[in-house]
Amino acid sequence: MSSSVSVAIENGVAVVTIDNPPVNALSVYVRKPLYEALATLRDDPAARAIVIACAGRTFVAGADITEFGKPVEQPELRAIVALLETIAKPTVAAIHGTALGGGLELALGCHFRVADQGARLGLTEVKLGLLPGGGGTVRLPRLVGAEKALGMIVSGAPILAGEAKAAGLADAVVDGDLLAEAIRFASETADRGGAFIAVRDRNDRLAETDLAAFDAQATDLARKSRGLDAPLACAEAVHNAITLPFDEALAAERALFVKLVSGDQSRAQRHLFFAEREAAKVPGKDLQRRTIERVGIIGAGTMGGGIAMAFANGGFPVTLLETSAEALQRGMAMIEKNYAVSVSRGSLTGEAREQRLGLFKGSTDYADLADCDLIIEAVFEDMAVKKEVFGKLDAVARPGAILATNTSYLDVNEIATSTARPRDVLGMHFFSPANAMKLLEIVRAEKTAPDALATVADLARRIGKVAVVVGVCHGFVGNRMLSARGAENEFLLLEGATPGQVDKAFTDFGWPMGPCQMGDLAGLDIGWRNRKARGLTAVIADTLCEEGRFGQKTGRGWYRYESGSREPATDPEVEKLIRTKAGELGIAQREIGADEIIERTLYPLINEGAKILQEGIAARASDIDVVWVNGYGFPIGKGGPMFWAGLEGAVRIVERLEYWRQRTGRGIFEPAPVLRRFAETGSWEAVGGAL
Ligand code: 3H9
């Protein structure tokens, strides 16, 4: 028998142990011996009961995602689950770590589930653009009820063992030796004798379902699914579980799974799963990491406060520095308010809030940063100010402390020159609100030490961020590409598209909002200030700002916002302003379709990504996808701009860029050599520079 599955029978209880590091995924090398072991034990009189357990850090974390898209090898997971259900002796899953996706489906094939108190159980397939394909949509509702199952399957969010017990998914929760308890549970159940009902035959909870309420919940979910097929398929499958006989519902689930697994959306989401893990890898696995225990943050504004919260949420003591007691007080008041909102929403307990607030120490004296292992500057975006801060830091920080800037655009190499220790300097570009947004661009400057980079990459994971290492250039990966995406915005408007039409083309594509709405949300004054600093202009956006239209915060921007509302309303004044400016510039207005809007915004976005690869600012095309999905709302079902370029067809993208280049004469449309090569070879070429 393969070493990935072993069997030991003791006192009549057979323990089947799966050992397939790192996460015990159900690859064919597990499925085959598992099936054989269970088939043997079914008929083995020496085994009165069976426990399925896992070695290593977790129970089975799902099907092996790398197998999707390849020919299916037998036996499939559903055959194993079906086999389990023919076993007439008690079967028990002993769950520690995570039982996710196919892992939980395997456990649902058992009569009982005994879980370690820290275990998490969930059907997470939706996050990969799938639905549970091993019977999860049909069995989970039989244990926890259809409405709870729908919530779990459509969100993909796992639940803790205690909640699983309360919901009927776990039969026992163990604080102590899980395996010993699972064996005891199995043995006592066998001793009691009687028939053991397979999950497939438990229909009581399903019979209680209020179908009308269920369908209303499903409709609501569909409304929120924003163009993704998987959540809808999940809802359909659970609906089938309620209305169809077991085997028919199972067959319908299978059909839905097969369709999704071969579709572009799931391919895109699987790409992102691996891309995020790849991005976290920086060379120097064996490098000694620096110890980070206390973190200092300079600046308690929106950004600094958010960063400070991100670290406190991760359990780090934080020293928050401001220029005056008043500014510090304002910053702390904002942090307290944010935590209060989380408590009132039920996403944070009062106790956790107190614990987190207890981690903050305020100061107005740089000397108080001397005991910090990492210090992040989040002050005004101005080179002279940043250099002054780093000069002061150089004087007080302990040797070996990592000094980071949260700049969005400025040259980190230049900032590093204001210290005598450029090896310890790097960029940590958080996205606002920094306590909530997952993306972190880690900017590697010319002299940044590899161990400092590796330390921060590890740290990012500890505070729940998805980190991508990038090189130094204006705007790094994300904001530089954002400028390219927005370069044609003004032209599109002048030529006849309305802000509403531009934004609709984006939301139809799957973005949460379009560029005009995003500008209004972020504040149009930010881009205006930035343009002025660089000697750039934008005819319409500048005029809006000159008129005090900064977006949502002033109630007017590209749209109008009725008192305090966040709902954008078309503003005829803006449309008139655009027409007037077009007239002044002699630009004839015409109808502009959604395809043209996408071509003139997203193709330059991809083109800029290609230049970034060429210059070594990003190490991999997939890193760029991670930036765009986690920081800018690029639709996950399209996998990020560089992945989507492959779906859209790079040959077409090059052709259309050339067309627009010819028609407008603008350099933004000049196809980058790396993009041309992608069109020829189908794979992105990278120089690996950022690493
Ligand atoms: C499914 O089950 C479909 C079924 O319904 C039906 C089938 C018919 N496969 O995340 P980490 C790798 S769909 C292959 O860094 P952590 C991962 O790439 C599946 N590989 O660790 C990484 O490799 P590397 C449903 C996998 O401790 C390494 O393991 N299940 C899989 O931070 C460590 O991963 C899921 O969606 C996999 N299933 O988090 C769960 N999972 O070291 C997906 C991980 O080379 N997994 N790897 O970069 C997770 O959510 C997290 O990995 C987990 C551990 C929470 C388990």
Side-chain angles (χ1 to χ4, degrees), residues 193-236:
F196 308 102
I197 307 171
V199 175
R200 61 170 287 149
D201 297 323
R202 298 195 205 168
N203 293 317
D204 309 0
R205 296 294 305 268
L206 272 188
E208 292 164 7
T209 313
D210 175 345
L211 196 57
F214 175 89
D215 283 342
Q217 190 189 351
T219 309
D220 190 43
L221 291 168
R223 204 171 41 78
K224 293 181 187 145
S225 69
R226 219 189 277 141
L228 291 176
D229 298 331
L232 305 182
C234 289
E236 186 180 335

mmCIF file of all heavy atoms in Angstrom, residues 193-236:
data_model
loop_
_atom_site.group_PDB
_atom_site.id
_atom_site.type_symbol
_atom_site.label_atom_id
_atom_site.label_comp_id
_atom_site.label_asym_id
_atom_site.label_seq_id
_atom_site.Cartn_x
_atom_site.Cartn_y
_atom_site.Cartn_z
ATOM 1 N N GLY A 193 -24.046 -0.676 19.277
ATOM 2 C CA GLY A 193 -24.664 -1.453 18.194
ATOM 3 C C GLY A 193 -25.798 -0.693 17.525
ATOM 4 O O GLY A 193 -25.917 0.524 17.641
ATOM 5 N N GLY A 194 -26.614 -1.393 16.796
ATOM 6 C CA GLY A 194 -27.740 -0.776 16.092
ATOM 7 C C GLY A 194 -27.323 -0.325 14.710
ATOM 8 O O GLY A 194 -26.177 -0.535 14.283
ATOM 9 N N ALA A 195 -28.261 0.287 14.006
ATOM 10 C CA ALA A 195 -27.976 0.719 12.637
ATOM 11 C C ALA A 195 -27.444 2.147 12.677
ATOM 12 O O ALA A 195 -27.850 2.945 13.516
ATOM 13 C CB ALA A 195 -29.253 0.666 11.818
ATOM 14 N N PHE A 196 -26.545 2.433 11.792
ATOM 15 C CA PHE A 196 -26.000 3.789 11.715
ATOM 16 C C PHE A 196 -26.491 4.416 10.419
ATOM 17 O O PHE A 196 -26.325 3.841 9.350
ATOM 18 C CB PHE A 196 -24.479 3.747 11.773
ATOM 19 C CG PHE A 196 -24.002 2.951 12.944
ATOM 20 C CD1 PHE A 196 -23.541 1.653 12.776
ATOM 21 C CD2 PHE A 196 -24.089 3.479 14.215
ATOM 22 C CE1 PHE A 196 -23.158 0.906 13.867
ATOM 23 C CE2 PHE A 196 -23.707 2.737 15.313
ATOM 24 C CZ PHE A 196 -23.233 1.434 15.146
ATOM 25 N N ILE A 197 -27.086 5.574 10.568
ATOM 26 C CA ILE A 197 -27.725 6.170 9.381
ATOM 27 C C ILE A 197 -26.723 7.025 8.620
ATOM 28 O O ILE A 197 -26.121 7.944 9.185
ATOM 29 C CB ILE A 197 -28.948 7.024 9.789
ATOM 30 C CG1 ILE A 197 -29.887 6.178 10.664
ATOM 31 C CG2 ILE A 197 -29.688 7.554 8.569
ATOM 32 C CD1 ILE A 197 -31.006 6.972 11.294
ATOM 33 N N ALA A 198 -26.558 6.705 7.352
ATOM 34 C CA ALA A 198 -25.669 7.507 6.506
ATOM 35 C C ALA A 198 -26.299 8.883 6.313
ATOM 36 O O ALA A 198 -27.528 9.031 6.351
ATOM 37 C CB ALA A 198 -25.489 6.826 5.157
ATOM 38 N N VAL A 199 -25.439 9.894 6.083
ATOM 39 C CA VAL A 199 -25.949 11.259 5.929
ATOM 40 C C VAL A 199 -26.973 11.309 4.786
ATOM 41 O O VAL A 199 -27.978 12.010 4.871
ATOM 42 C CB VAL A 199 -24.778 12.240 5.684
ATOM 43 C CG1 VAL A 199 -25.300 13.641 5.396
ATOM 44 C CG2 VAL A 199 -23.829 12.260 6.869
ATOM 45 N N ARG A 200 -26.735 10.565 3.739
ATOM 46 C CA ARG A 200 -27.648 10.609 2.582
ATOM 47 C C ARG A 200 -29.082 10.242 2.964
ATOM 48 O O ARG A 200 -30.034 10.632 2.286
ATOM 49 C CB ARG A 200 -27.157 9.705 1.447
ATOM 50 C CG ARG A 200 -27.057 8.232 1.788
ATOM 51 C CD ARG A 200 -26.793 7.380 0.556
ATOM 52 N NE ARG A 200 -27.984 7.286 -0.280
ATOM 53 C CZ ARG A 200 -27.967 7.153 -1.587
ATOM 54 N NH1 ARG A 200 -26.831 7.095 -2.228
ATOM 55 N NH2 ARG A 200 -29.089 7.053 -2.268
ATOM 56 N N ASP A 201 -29.208 9.459 4.035
ATOM 57 C CA ASP A 201 -30.555 9.016 4.411
ATOM 58 C C ASP A 201 -31.183 9.860 5.513
ATOM 59 O O ASP A 201 -32.248 9.541 6.020
ATOM 60 C CB ASP A 201 -30.494 7.546 4.860
ATOM 61 C CG ASP A 201 -30.048 6.644 3.718
ATOM 62 O OD1 ASP A 201 -30.463 6.922 2.571
ATOM 63 O OD2 ASP A 201 -29.261 5.712 3.958
ATOM 64 N N ARG A 202 -30.528 10.934 5.890
ATOM 65 C CA ARG A 202 -31.108 11.783 6.939
ATOM 66 C C ARG A 202 -31.860 12.926 6.275
ATOM 67 O O ARG A 202 -31.269 13.840 5.725
ATOM 68 C CB ARG A 202 -29.997 12.357 7.825
ATOM 69 C CG ARG A 202 -29.215 11.277 8.539
ATOM 70 C CD ARG A 202 -28.412 11.911 9.645
ATOM 71 N NE ARG A 202 -27.259 11.102 9.947
ATOM 72 C CZ ARG A 202 -26.255 11.507 10.708
ATOM 73 N NH1 ARG A 202 -26.276 12.716 11.222
ATOM 74 N NH2 ARG A 202 -25.237 10.722 10.949
ATOM 75 N N ASN A 203 -33.166 12.853 6.349
ATOM 76 C CA ASN A 203 -33.960 13.826 5.591
ATOM 77 C C ASN A 203 -34.743 14.808 6.460
ATOM 78 O O ASN A 203 -35.374 15.715 5.934
ATOM 79 C CB ASN A 203 -34.919 13.092 4.653
ATOM 80 C CG ASN A 203 -34.145 12.361 3.561
ATOM 81 O OD1 ASN A 203 -33.197 12.915 2.989
ATOM 82 N ND2 ASN A 203 -34.489 11.112 3.303
ATOM 83 N N ASP A 204 -34.636 14.625 7.800
ATOM 84 C CA ASP A 204 -35.494 15.450 8.681
ATOM 85 C C ASP A 204 -35.249 16.946 8.515
ATOM 86 O O ASP A 204 -36.187 17.727 8.380
ATOM 87 C CB ASP A 204 -35.230 15.121 10.165
ATOM 88 C CG ASP A 204 -35.292 13.636 10.424
ATOM 89 O OD1 ASP A 204 -35.537 12.892 9.468
ATOM 90 O OD2 ASP A 204 -35.083 13.240 11.585
ATOM 91 N N ARG A 205 -33.963 17.353 8.533
ATOM 92 C CA ARG A 205 -33.683 18.782 8.459
ATOM 93 C C ARG A 205 -34.167 19.368 7.130
ATOM 94 O O ARG A 205 -34.665 20.483 7.070
ATOM 95 C CB ARG A 205 -32.171 19.060 8.585
ATOM 96 C CG ARG A 205 -31.527 18.695 9.895
ATOM 97 C CD ARG A 205 -32.049 19.540 11.044
ATOM 98 N NE ARG A 205 -31.962 20.985 10.914
ATOM 99 C CZ ARG A 205 -30.954 21.720 11.347
ATOM 100 N NH1 ARG A 205 -29.924 21.146 11.917
ATOM 101 N NH2 ARG A 205 -30.974 23.040 11.229
ATOM 102 N N LEU A 206 -34.010 18.584 6.062
ATOM 103 C CA LEU A 206 -34.434 19.083 4.744
ATOM 104 C C LEU A 206 -35.940 19.285 4.696
ATOM 105 O O LEU A 206 -36.434 20.254 4.108
ATOM 106 C CB LEU A 206 -34.038 18.081 3.662
ATOM 107 C CG LEU A 206 -32.649 18.230 3.079
ATOM 108 C CD1 LEU A 206 -32.496 17.294 1.896
ATOM 109 C CD2 LEU A 206 -32.407 19.662 2.642
ATOM 110 N N ALA A 207 -36.644 18.356 5.321
ATOM 111 C CA ALA A 207 -38.111 18.424 5.289
ATOM 112 C C ALA A 207 -38.616 19.693 5.968
ATOM 113 O O ALA A 207 -39.710 20.176 5.668
ATOM 114 C CB ALA A 207 -38.691 17.181 5.977
ATOM 115 N N GLU A 208 -37.781 20.261 6.871
ATOM 116 C CA GLU A 208 -38.213 21.478 7.596
ATOM 117 C C GLU A 208 -38.074 22.738 6.742
ATOM 118 O O GLU A 208 -38.506 23.807 7.135
ATOM 119 C CB GLU A 208 -37.298 21.709 8.816
ATOM 120 C CG GLU A 208 -37.414 20.706 9.916
ATOM 121 C CD GLU A 208 -36.214 20.799 10.875
ATOM 122 O OE1 GLU A 208 -35.382 21.730 10.748
ATOM 123 O OE2 GLU A 208 -36.130 19.912 11.734
ATOM 124 N N THR A 209 -37.406 22.630 5.579
ATOM 125 C CA THR A 209 -37.066 23.835 4.814
ATOM 126 C C THR A 209 -38.293 24.619 4.368
ATOM 127 O O THR A 209 -39.262 24.049 3.854
ATOM 128 C CB THR A 209 -36.270 23.447 3.549
ATOM 129 O OG1 THR A 209 -35.268 22.547 3.917
ATOM 130 C CG2 THR A 209 -35.676 24.673 2.873
ATOM 131 N N ASP A 210 -38.210 25.935 4.564
ATOM 132 C CA ASP A 210 -39.226 26.834 4.023
ATOM 133 C C ASP A 210 -38.712 27.234 2.633
ATOM 134 O O ASP A 210 -37.825 28.087 2.510
ATOM 135 C CB ASP A 210 -39.348 28.038 4.967
ATOM 136 C CG ASP A 210 -40.288 29.105 4.424
ATOM 137 O OD1 ASP A 210 -40.607 29.059 3.225
ATOM 138 O OD2 ASP A 210 -40.679 29.983 5.216
ATOM 139 N N LEU A 211 -39.258 26.596 1.609
ATOM 140 C CA LEU A 211 -38.709 26.757 0.263
ATOM 141 C C LEU A 211 -38.781 28.209 -0.225
ATOM 142 O O LEU A 211 -37.867 28.701 -0.889
ATOM 143 C CB LEU A 211 -39.416 25.810 -0.719
ATOM 144 C CG LEU A 211 -38.709 25.593 -2.050
ATOM 145 C CD1 LEU A 211 -37.294 25.071 -1.862
ATOM 146 C CD2 LEU A 211 -39.505 24.638 -2.935
ATOM 147 N N ALA A 212 -39.877 28.892 0.139
ATOM 148 C CA ALA A 212 -40.021 30.286 -0.316
ATOM 149 C C ALA A 212 -38.916 31.147 0.300
ATOM 150 O O ALA A 212 -38.284 31.959 -0.391
ATOM 151 C CB ALA A 212 -41.396 30.820 0.069
ATOM 152 N N ALA A 213 -38.657 30.944 1.618
ATOM 153 C CA ALA A 213 -37.606 31.726 2.282
ATOM 154 C C ALA A 213 -36.249 31.369 1.687
ATOM 155 O O ALA A 213 -35.399 32.238 1.463
ATOM 156 C CB ALA A 213 -37.617 31.446 3.784
ATOM 157 N N PHE A 214 -36.071 30.086 1.412
ATOM 158 C CA PHE A 214 -34.802 29.644 0.822
ATOM 159 C C PHE A 214 -34.586 30.322 -0.531
ATOM 160 O O PHE A 214 -33.516 30.847 -0.826
ATOM 161 C CB PHE A 214 -34.810 28.116 0.645
ATOM 162 C CG PHE A 214 -33.585 27.604 -0.060
ATOM 163 C CD1 PHE A 214 -32.454 27.259 0.667
ATOM 164 C CD2 PHE A 214 -33.543 27.507 -1.451
ATOM 165 C CE1 PHE A 214 -31.301 26.821 0.015
ATOM 166 C CE2 PHE A 214 -32.399 27.075 -2.101
ATOM 167 C CZ PHE A 214 -31.279 26.724 -1.370
ATOM 168 N N ASP A 215 -35.620 30.309 -1.358
ATOM 169 C CA ASP A 215 -35.469 30.890 -2.698
ATOM 170 C C ASP A 215 -35.221 32.395 -2.628
ATOM 171 O O ASP A 215 -34.474 32.945 -3.440
ATOM 172 C CB ASP A 215 -36.696 30.557 -3.562
ATOM 173 C CG ASP A 215 -36.638 29.107 -4.051
ATOM 174 O OD1 ASP A 215 -35.536 28.513 -4.011
ATOM 175 O OD2 ASP A 215 -37.680 28.558 -4.449
ATOM 176 N N ALA A 216 -35.841 33.039 -1.633
ATOM 177 C CA ALA A 216 -35.607 34.486 -1.475
ATOM 178 C C ALA A 216 -34.135 34.723 -1.129
ATOM 179 O O ALA A 216 -33.487 35.622 -1.679
ATOM 180 C CB ALA A 216 -36.505 35.045 -0.376
ATOM 181 N N GLN A 217 -33.600 33.873 -0.238
ATOM 182 C CA GLN A 217 -32.183 33.986 0.151
ATOM 183 C C GLN A 217 -31.294 33.736 -1.079
ATOM 184 O O GLN A 217 -30.330 34.453 -1.319
ATOM 185 C CB GLN A 217 -31.910 32.937 1.234
ATOM 186 C CG GLN A 217 -30.563 33.057 1.916
ATOM 187 C CD GLN A 217 -30.281 31.841 2.837
ATOM 188 O OE1 GLN A 217 -31.154 31.009 3.076
ATOM 189 N NE2 GLN A 217 -29.062 31.745 3.322
ATOM 190 N N ALA A 218 -31.682 32.745 -1.879
ATOM 191 C CA ALA A 218 -30.891 32.409 -3.073
ATOM 192 C C ALA A 218 -30.927 33.557 -4.086
ATOM 193 O O ALA A 218 -29.918 33.883 -4.715
ATOM 194 C CB ALA A 218 -31.411 31.115 -3.692
ATOM 195 N N THR A 219 -32.090 34.183 -4.229
ATOM 196 C CA THR A 219 -32.212 35.293 -5.184
ATOM 197 C C THR A 219 -31.326 36.457 -4.753
ATOM 198 O O THR A 219 -30.651 37.096 -5.565
ATOM 199 C CB THR A 219 -33.685 35.784 -5.250
ATOM 200 O OG1 THR A 219 -34.501 34.645 -5.468
ATOM 201 C CG2 THR A 219 -33.907 36.797 -6.348
ATOM 202 N N ASP A 220 -31.321 36.699 -3.441
ATOM 203 C CA ASP A 220 -30.495 37.776 -2.899
ATOM 204 C C ASP A 220 -29.014 37.501 -3.192
ATOM 205 O O ASP A 220 -28.267 38.391 -3.597
ATOM 206 C CB ASP A 220 -30.742 37.844 -1.386
ATOM 207 C CG ASP A 220 -30.107 39.078 -0.780
ATOM 208 O OD1 ASP A 220 -30.226 40.139 -1.407
ATOM 209 O OD2 ASP A 220 -29.479 38.967 0.287
ATOM 210 N N LEU A 221 -28.619 36.246 -3.030
ATOM 211 C CA LEU A 221 -27.230 35.879 -3.292
ATOM 212 C C LEU A 221 -26.894 36.053 -4.765
ATOM 213 O O LEU A 221 -25.817 36.509 -5.131
ATOM 214 C CB LEU A 221 -26.981 34.422 -2.876
ATOM 215 C CG LEU A 221 -27.026 34.176 -1.367
ATOM 216 C CD1 LEU A 221 -27.060 32.686 -1.071
ATOM 217 C CD2 LEU A 221 -25.816 34.816 -0.708
ATOM 218 N N ALA A 222 -27.853 35.699 -5.608
ATOM 219 C CA ALA A 222 -27.629 35.814 -7.046
ATOM 220 C C ALA A 222 -27.376 37.268 -7.418
ATOM 221 O O ALA A 222 -26.506 37.590 -8.223
ATOM 222 C CB ALA A 222 -28.844 35.275 -7.800
ATOM 223 N N ARG A 223 -28.129 38.144 -6.767
ATOM 224 C CA ARG A 223 -27.999 39.577 -7.045
ATOM 225 C C ARG A 223 -26.584 40.065 -6.702
ATOM 226 O O ARG A 223 -26.034 40.926 -7.351
ATOM 227 C CB ARG A 223 -29.042 40.318 -6.187
ATOM 228 C CG ARG A 223 -29.460 41.674 -6.697
ATOM 229 C CD ARG A 223 -30.641 42.238 -5.913
ATOM 230 N NE ARG A 223 -30.565 42.024 -4.476
ATOM 231 C CZ ARG A 223 -29.804 42.737 -3.630
ATOM 232 N NH1 ARG A 223 -29.061 43.714 -4.074
ATOM 233 N NH2 ARG A 223 -29.807 42.472 -2.338
ATOM 234 N N LYS A 224 -26.017 39.447 -5.665
ATOM 235 C CA LYS A 224 -24.695 39.905 -5.221
ATOM 236 C C LYS A 224 -23.555 39.179 -5.934
ATOM 237 O O LYS A 224 -22.392 39.430 -5.650
ATOM 238 C CB LYS A 224 -24.558 39.671 -3.712
ATOM 239 C CG LYS A 224 -25.487 40.531 -2.879
ATOM 240 C CD LYS A 224 -25.252 40.254 -1.405
ATOM 241 C CE LYS A 224 -26.278 40.961 -0.533
ATOM 242 N NZ LYS A 224 -26.625 40.169 0.640
ATOM 243 N N SER A 225 -23.861 38.267 -6.820
ATOM 244 C CA SER A 225 -22.795 37.395 -7.352
ATOM 245 C C SER A 225 -21.945 38.072 -8.431
ATOM 246 O O SER A 225 -20.929 37.554 -8.839
ATOM 247 C CB SER A 225 -23.388 36.107 -7.904
ATOM 248 O OG SER A 225 -24.123 36.407 -9.058
ATOM 249 N N ARG A 226 -22.311 39.224 -8.859
ATOM 250 C CA ARG A 226 -21.543 40.071 -9.764
ATOM 251 C C ARG A 226 -20.885 39.316 -10.924
ATOM 252 O O ARG A 226 -19.671 39.321 -11.096
ATOM 253 C CB ARG A 226 -20.480 40.816 -8.972
ATOM 254 C CG ARG A 226 -20.332 42.242 -9.467
ATOM 255 C CD ARG A 226 -19.161 42.930 -8.857
ATOM 256 N NE ARG A 226 -19.419 43.478 -7.551
ATOM 257 C CZ ARG A 226 -18.542 43.454 -6.551
ATOM 258 N NH1 ARG A 226 -17.385 42.890 -6.713
ATOM 259 N NH2 ARG A 226 -18.829 43.993 -5.398
ATOM 260 N N GLY A 227 -21.732 38.620 -11.672
ATOM 261 C CA GLY A 227 -21.219 37.994 -12.890
ATOM 262 C C GLY A 227 -20.508 36.672 -12.666
ATOM 263 O O GLY A 227 -20.064 36.042 -13.623
ATOM 264 N N LEU A 228 -20.379 36.221 -11.432
ATOM 265 C CA LEU A 228 -19.706 34.946 -11.194
ATOM 266 C C LEU A 228 -20.735 33.810 -11.283
ATOM 267 O O LEU A 228 -21.818 33.899 -10.715
ATOM 268 C CB LEU A 228 -19.042 34.934 -9.819
ATOM 269 C CG LEU A 228 -17.833 35.858 -9.653
ATOM 270 C CD1 LEU A 228 -17.318 35.830 -8.227
ATOM 271 C CD2 LEU A 228 -16.711 35.456 -10.618
ATOM 272 N N ASP A 229 -20.346 32.760 -11.979
ATOM 273 C CA ASP A 229 -21.277 31.637 -12.171
ATOM 274 C C ASP A 229 -21.362 30.726 -10.947
ATOM 275 O O ASP A 229 -22.398 30.132 -10.676
ATOM 276 C CB ASP A 229 -20.820 30.779 -13.367
ATOM 277 C CG ASP A 229 -20.823 31.586 -14.657
ATOM 278 O OD1 ASP A 229 -21.636 32.534 -14.752
ATOM 279 O OD2 ASP A 229 -20.004 31.282 -15.558
ATOM 280 N N ALA A 230 -20.235 30.571 -10.238
ATOM 281 C CA ALA A 230 -20.188 29.551 -9.183
ATOM 282 C C ALA A 230 -21.215 29.771 -8.062
ATOM 283 O O ALA A 230 -21.899 28.814 -7.681
ATOM 284 C CB ALA A 230 -18.772 29.458 -8.613
ATOM 285 N N PRO A 231 -21.360 31.004 -7.542
ATOM 286 C CA PRO A 231 -22.344 31.156 -6.458
ATOM 287 C C PRO A 231 -23.753 30.760 -6.904
ATOM 288 O O PRO A 231 -24.521 30.179 -6.132
ATOM 289 C CB PRO A 231 -22.290 32.653 -6.129
ATOM 290 C CG PRO A 231 -20.992 33.133 -6.677
ATOM 291 C CD PRO A 231 -20.656 32.261 -7.829
ATOM 292 N N LEU A 232 -24.080 31.048 -8.167
ATOM 293 C CA LEU A 232 -25.409 30.702 -8.674
ATOM 294 C C LEU A 232 -25.565 29.187 -8.770
ATOM 295 O O LEU A 232 -26.601 28.618 -8.428
ATOM 296 C CB LEU A 232 -25.647 31.333 -10.056
ATOM 297 C CG LEU A 232 -25.452 32.847 -10.127
ATOM 298 C CD1 LEU A 232 -25.749 33.367 -11.522
ATOM 299 C CD2 LEU A 232 -26.363 33.537 -9.121
ATOM 300 N N ALA A 233 -24.500 28.538 -9.241
ATOM 301 C CA ALA A 233 -24.541 27.075 -9.347
ATOM 302 C C ALA A 233 -24.666 26.447 -7.958
ATOM 303 O O ALA A 233 -25.387 25.448 -7.778
ATOM 304 C CB ALA A 233 -23.279 26.570 -10.054
ATOM 305 N N CYS A 234 -23.989 27.036 -6.973
ATOM 306 C CA CYS A 234 -24.084 26.526 -5.593
ATOM 307 C C CYS A 234 -25.542 26.587 -5.125
ATOM 308 O O CYS A 234 -26.071 25.621 -4.559
ATOM 309 C CB CYS A 234 -23.229 27.370 -4.643
ATOM 310 S SG CYS A 234 -21.456 27.148 -4.870
ATOM 311 N N ALA A 235 -26.169 27.747 -5.363
ATOM 312 C CA ALA A 235 -27.555 27.916 -4.914
ATOM 313 C C ALA A 235 -28.474 26.928 -5.633
ATOM 314 O O ALA A 235 -29.368 26.321 -5.027
ATOM 315 C CB ALA A 235 -28.006 29.355 -5.167
ATOM 316 N N GLU A 236 -28.239 26.740 -6.918
ATOM 317 C CA GLU A 236 -29.070 25.810 -7.694
ATOM 318 C C GLU A 236 -28.923 24.387 -7.145
ATOM 319 O O GLU A 236 -29.903 23.654 -6.987
ATOM 320 C CB GLU A 236 -28.625 25.853 -9.169
ATOM 321 C CG GLU A 236 -29.521 25.045 -10.087
ATOM 322 C CD GLU A 236 -29.042 25.113 -11.544
ATOM 323 O OE1 GLU A 236 -28.373 26.091 -11.918
ATOM 324 O OE2 GLU A 236 -29.347 24.150 -12.286
#
